[in-house]
Amino acid sequence: MCVDLAQFLHRTEIRLRTNMLGEPARHIRPLSESRAIENGANFLAEGFMFSVAAAIIIGEQWRSSRSQSKRKDAVDDQLEELSSKVNELTERAGSLEKKWDSEIDALKERYDSRSVIAVLNSVALRNDELTRVLERIIWIGLKGGWTDVHSEKWQAEIDSVTRDVSAIEGSKPSSSTSDTKS
């Protein structure tokens, strides 16, 4: 098997050389048997090594693409879960707003306008403080890498919250100077 393969490869190589150089076809002398066995065995060994290397490369590429698709599916699942949580929180915020509106209406009926204004101001201040705390928590989470949001809509919201938090932090006196004086 090695001898026949080596002789075939030798004839093919000589034909290619003569055709490339533009020489006329001539009689091709066969290789000696020992040389043919050596060349045939060498070709089979190199062919085997090449096929093993190609199989390893193809297998690794397939494994890598499978791993990437699993990772992508996991990210998609997380985004769907976060989206459902955001929808749920939006619904809860809407129901709380309706509840507060009904409580405010009840307070308006029960108390005079000065009392209502005082209560409304305290509720508004509490609501503003809770909003700032929630925005700060979200801002810290996004800055800390809790999630990676690529949507333009969410990126605009994040930029808005970042501006609000920066404005709030800029208007507050720094606590580090008061801590060092104590």
Side-chain angles (χ1 to χ4, degrees):
M1 177 173 175
C2 289
V3 174
D4 294 336
L5 179 63
Q7 294 295 349
F8 172 75
L9 290 174
H10 174 69
R11 282 192 302 273
T12 305
E13 181 183 358
I14 296 297
R15 280 189 203 125
L16 285 174
R17 278 189 197 171
T18 55
N19 287 339
M20 289 173 106
L21 296 174
E23 295 179 9
R26 60 179 187 188
H27 175 70
I28 300 171
R29 212 173 49 181
L31 292 173
S32 67
E33 189 170 331
S34 63
R35 180 76 185 239
I37 291 172
E38 182 182 324
N39 285 354
N42 194 17
F43 179 78
L44 287 175
E46 288 177 1
F48 175 75
M49 294 295 286
F50 177 77
S51 62
V52 168
I56 289 172
I57 290 171
I58 290 170
E60 183 62 27
Q61 186 68 23
W62 177 75
R63 187 189 67 78
S64 173
S65 68
R66 219 173 106 210
S67 172
Q68 287 176 354
S69 67
K70 284 182 181 179
R71 190 177 318 124
K72 183 179 178 184
D73 290 343
V75 167
D76 288 343
D77 290 345
Q78 287 177 345
L79 285 175
E80 286 177 21
E81 182 181 332
L82 287 174
S83 177
S84 67
K85 285 181 180 180
V86 166
N87 289 337
E88 180 183 326
L89 288 174
T90 303
E91 289 173 7
R92 288 182 69 190
S95 67
L96 286 175
E97 185 177 352
K98 289 178 184 177
K99 180 182 175 185
W100 287 345
D101 287 342
S102 65
E103 288 178 5
I104 289 172
D105 290 340
L107 287 174
K108 282 181 183 178
E109 292 174 5
R110 182 184 265 172
Y111 299 105
D112 65 349
S113 63
R114 288 183 191 164
S115 301
V116 170
I117 291 173
V119 170
L120 287 178
N121 285 338
S122 69
V123 168
L125 289 175
R126 183 169 184 261
N127 189 21
D128 288 344
E129 183 63 26
L130 288 174
T131 301
R132 281 194 297 271
V133 168
L134 183 59
E135 286 175 349
R136 180 69 177 173
I137 289 170
I138 291 172
W139 181 74
I140 289 170
L142 291 173
K143 190 173 182 180
W146 287 352
T147 184
D148 189 14
V149 180
H150 297 289
S151 169
E152 291 178 16
K153 174 186 171 191
W154 285 108
Q155 193 61 44
E157 290 292 326
I158 292 168
D159 293 342
S160 170
V161 168
T162 303
R163 282 192 301 271
D164 293 345
V165 168
S166 297
I168 291 169
E169 287 178 347
S171 66
K172 289 183 179 177
S174 75
S175 60
S176 61
T177 58
S178 63
D179 289 343
T180 56
K181 292 178 184 178
S182 307

